Amino acid sequence: MFVSRREEIRELYEGGVCQEQIAKRMQISPSTVSYHMRSLGYPAKPHKRYDWKAVQTFYDEGNSVRQCAAHFGFSLSAWGDAVNRRAVKARPRAMSVERLL
């Protein structure tokens, strides 16, 4: 019996599998899963690319911005955008020796 992609997505979602995992399991893009979910009548959920709370925790443990970017896979410009919209709080920049003197 042939099961359509949409019905397979419905079965997985109703079985407790999140949309991101459905995309990985079915080897399709997350936006394709979202399209089918909307077609099935489920409300659209905004795609949250990074867990900025987890990034903040990792950063607060003393890791640098570059280490955070490497660990979580975001770009330095994504960090800057997150700081600007206050999704994360950067540590104050160190003052230069010249300015201190």
Side-chain angles (χ1 to χ4, degrees), residues 1 11-12 16 18 24 27 31 35 38 40 45 47 50 55-56 62 64 77 85 88 92 94 98 100:
M1 181 168 118
E11 289 173 12
L12 289 169
C18 72
K24 286 180 183 178
Q27 297 180 345
S31 60
Y35 167 78
R38 285 190 310 275
L40 289 165
K45 293 182 182 177
H47 180 64
Y50 303 110
V55 173
Q56 183 73 57
S64 70
S77 66
R85 69 176 181 275
V88 293
E98 291 80 20
L100 288 172

Side-chain angles (χ1 to χ4, degrees), residues 62-81:
N63 294 290
S64 70
V65 173
R66 289 187 187 277
Q67 288 170 321
C68 291
H71 183 78
F72 291 97
F74 58 80
S75 67
L76 295 179
S77 66
W79 171 266
D81 292 343

Side-chain angles (χ1 to χ4, degrees), residues 5-14 17-45 47:
R5 177 180 280 180
R6 189 167 293 159
E7 287 305 313
E8 186 176 354
I9 289 171
R10 179 198 309 265
E11 289 173 12
L12 289 169
Y13 187 72
E14 289 178 354
V17 181
C18 72
Q19 291 184 32
E20 183 179 315
Q21 289 301 318
I22 292 172
K24 286 180 183 178
R25 225 181 252 193
M26 295 182 69
Q27 297 180 345
I28 57 178
S29 73
S31 60
T32 301
V33 175
S34 293
Y35 167 78
H36 287 296
M37 296 294 293
R38 285 190 310 275
S39 296
L40 289 165
Y42 291 100
K45 293 182 182 177
H47 180 64

Side-chain angles (χ1 to χ4, degrees), residues 46-60:
H47 180 64
K48 185 176 170 186
R49 190 161 186 177
Y50 303 110
D51 182 355
W52 291 109
K53 287 183 181 182
V55 173
Q56 183 73 57
T57 301
F58 188 75
Y59 180 69
D60 290 344

